[in-house]
Amino acid sequence: MELTLAQGIAKAAALLGAGLCMGMGALGPGVGEGFVAGKACEGIARSPENASLITRTMLVGQAVSESTGIYSLVIALLLIFAVKI
Amino acid sequence: MAKKKKPMLRIFLIFFVIEVILVFLSGNFNRELEIGFENGKFKIRHVESVFNLQEKITEEFQIDEYYKHHGETPKLWGSEKLYEFFRSIPMDSTPVGSFQLLRMLLIVDIVLLLLALFIRKFLTRRPSKSQILFELIYTSLEEFVTETLGRDKVYYTPYIVTLFLFIWVCNLIGTIPIPGFMEPTRNLNVPLGLGVLAVVIVHASAIKFKGAWHHIQNYVNPKKNPLFLLDIVGEVSKVVSISFRLFGNILGGAIIILVVSSLVSFVVFPVGLNLFFGMFVGTIQAFVFTMLALTYIGVEISE
């Protein structure tokens, strides 16, 4: 299909926006999940008998703090597939 | 002790070797190998493979858009009556996507019903392995409910267990490699419905335990609650957050599985990706959804 210049610019901007959205949106969850995992390691080192409880709580907390990254993923998918030229 | 044989492993190895030989027979990665019988004789021939990732993703995730562009719709349904019924629902495009979604939801329901009947039939005093698994699920969730809501409100357990089992089976059923099988939670309508239902139950239980007028005052009376507008927005964002988390996780995992398996489609079937995105993430997200719904109920009725 042939695109005009304006349509090409719009498509390129949508794709660039999707990449930027995913890259910046992955920063926060990455830092947050790493922080949670580090704290869980400290907790397990301090009290190894609570390891299973700490691991379960860590996984749930990571899944909740991941949600901002998931929102950016949804928006990136919308930009790629749902923007009609 | 005799050495234990592993026939399954041997069968898998034989299939793997056959697959590798076929891959190197096909020679060119732009071609696919078609094996079949023609005129009573075994035949191998090359087929030029048309591969477009964008088209494939559209076919997998926006099936109505795909068939709107490509014209003919497949005959998914057996009877014409069903087709006419689905056409009669006002929709601007083909009803293939909603039909697939409803079919998958029905399959999930049948699986859950069969599981329930099966577990009930084989209840024993000395529990078998499957009975131990389900008793473990039930008792651990019951323990969560009693920790969060208190011992006198333990009757919330059936709702919580049903929510967990439904979302869990929904997420796990996508790992079965049959064409047309998909996770129902991949469609936004299912998580959104579950989230709206959870918030409705939260408010119904708040009205039940605190009284209707006392509860509604939080959202209409500026003297009692000066930030009542923010609370109204917060209720909407509860639904959006709880449902988009599940939806995005499952959809993102499915797209990653599709893209990576199209990169390595001639070599292996990506079992590890299905294991991680299907089973691990599916279990964690089902658990998180359940825990968040329980926490919302607990926050509202504990005061």
Side-chain angles (χ1 to χ4, degrees):
Chain A
M1 102 190 126
E2 282 291 318
L3 293 182
T4 64
L5 183 62
Q7 285 173 336
I9 289 174
K11 186 76 184 167
L15 291 178
L16 193 65
L20 279 176
C21 171
M22 210 46 240
M24 288 183 185
L27 282 179
V31 173
E33 288 183 24
F35 189 74
V36 172
K39 285 288 181 186
C41 277
E42 284 178 15
I44 292 176
R46 207 172 292 141
S47 61
E49 69 273 8
N50 285 338
S52 66
L53 178 66
I54 291 174
T55 311
R56 202 176 61 206
T57 318
M58 182 193 80
L59 282 177
V60 173
Q62 279 184 334
V64 171
S65 74
E66 202 188 25
S67 59
T68 51
I70 296 298
Y71 300 156
S72 71
L73 174 70
V74 170
I75 289 175
L77 291 176
L78 281 180
L79 281 174
I80 293 174
F81 294 113
V83 170
K84 293 285 175 241
I85 307 295
Chain B
M1 204 164 146
K3 195 181 172 189
K4 207 175 177 184
K5 285 181 182 173
K6 291 176 180 170
M8 285 306 285
L9 193 68
R10 213 167 283 173
I11 290 169
F12 277 131
L13 267 179
I14 289 169
F15 272 105
F16 185 74
V17 168
I18 290 173
E19 198 175 344
V20 168
I21 289 171
L22 286 180
V23 164
F24 284 102
L25 262 182
S26 66
N28 190 345
F29 280 146
N30 286 328
R31 290 177 184 175
E32 282 181 50
L33 206 61
E34 200 179 80
I35 300 173
F37 294 95
E38 195 176 322
N39 299 333
K41 281 176 188 163
F42 187 66
K43 185 167 182 186
I44 297 178
R45 67 173 177 196
H46 291 298
V47 180
E48 200 76 26
S49 74
V50 184
F51 189 72
N52 188 348
L53 192 60
Q54 179 96 36
E55 290 264 306
K56 216 167 194 175
I57 290 175
T58 313
E59 185 188 354
E60 189 81 14
F61 297 103
Q62 295 173 308
I63 195 156
D64 289 334
E65 287 285 318
Y66 182 80
Y67 286 120
K68 216 159 85 181
H69 285 297
H70 284 73
E72 80 274 17
T73 55
K75 285 287 172 192
L76 284 170
W77 25 75
S79 68
E80 286 293 319
K81 239 181 212 172
L82 204 59
Y83 182 71
E84 285 305 317
F85 173 69
F86 270 89
R87 289 296 292 183
S88 69
I89 304 169
M91 275 181 290
D92 58 346
S93 55
T94 58
V96 181
S98 51
F99 181 80
Q100 269 191 344
L101 178 68
L102 287 176
R103 187 175 59 180
M104 285 317 294
L105 279 174
L106 275 180
I107 290 173
V108 169
D109 282 350
I110 288 169
V111 166
L112 281 176
L113 278 176
L114 284 184
L115 267 180
L117 290 179
F118 188 77
I119 297 292
R120 269 178 75 96
K121 191 164 180 354
F122 293 103
L123 275 183
T124 47
R125 198 162 275 280
R126 286 184 61 196
S128 57
K129 278 177 188 168
S130 58
Q131 191 181 342
I132 285 178
L133 176 69
F134 280 86
E135 281 183 0
L136 190 72
I137 290 172
Y138 190 87
T139 49
S140 56
L141 285 173
E142 192 179 26
E143 200 176 307
F144 281 124
V145 173
T146 47
E147 277 174 14
T148 316
L149 303 180
R151 187 152 295 281
D152 53 334
K153 297 192 182 64
V154 78
Y155 50 80
Y156 277 95
T157 313
Y159 168 62
I160 296 296
V161 176
T162 311
L163 200 59
F164 177 75
L165 280 181
F166 180 73
I167 299 172
W168 197 41
V169 174
C170 275
N171 292 343
L172 288 195
I173 210 164
T175 58
I176 301 172
I178 300 174
F181 261 54
M182 64 170 200
E183 301 94 342
T185 40
R186 188 198 280 174
N187 197 313
L188 182 56
N189 298 311
V190 177
L192 209 59
L194 290 172
V196 169
L197 184 66
V199 172
V200 164
I201 284 178
V202 166
H203 285 281
S205 49
I207 286 173
K208 185 182 166 193
F209 286 109
K210 297 199 301 192
W213 178 236
H214 188 231
H215 179 61
I216 291 172
Q217 261 187 342
N218 281 332
Y219 300 99
V220 292
N221 195 349
K223 278 179 191 161
K224 196 180 173 209
N225 185 5
L227 297 175
F228 67 102
L229 277 177
L230 275 183
D231 273 12
I232 294 172
V233 175
E235 293 307 313
V236 178
S237 76
K238 259 183 198 171
V239 179
V240 171
S241 126
I242 199 175
S243 58
F244 269 73
R245 180 177 298 120
L246 182 59
F247 163 70
N249 266 293
I250 304 304
L251 182 74
I255 286 182
I256 289 171
I257 287 175
L258 182 68
V259 169
V260 176
S261 59
S262 74
L263 290 179
V264 296
S265 64
F266 296 100
V267 187
V268 285
F269 177 73
V271 178
L273 283 174
N274 268 321
L275 212 61
F276 180 75
F277 286 109
M279 300 204 164
F280 182 69
V281 174
T283 312
I284 294 284
Q285 290 306 319
F287 188 66
V288 165
F289 194 102
T290 316
M291 284 296 106
L292 281 178
L294 185 58
T295 315
Y296 290 158
I297 296 174
V299 165
E300 280 293 334
I301 70 176
S302 64
E303 301 170 43

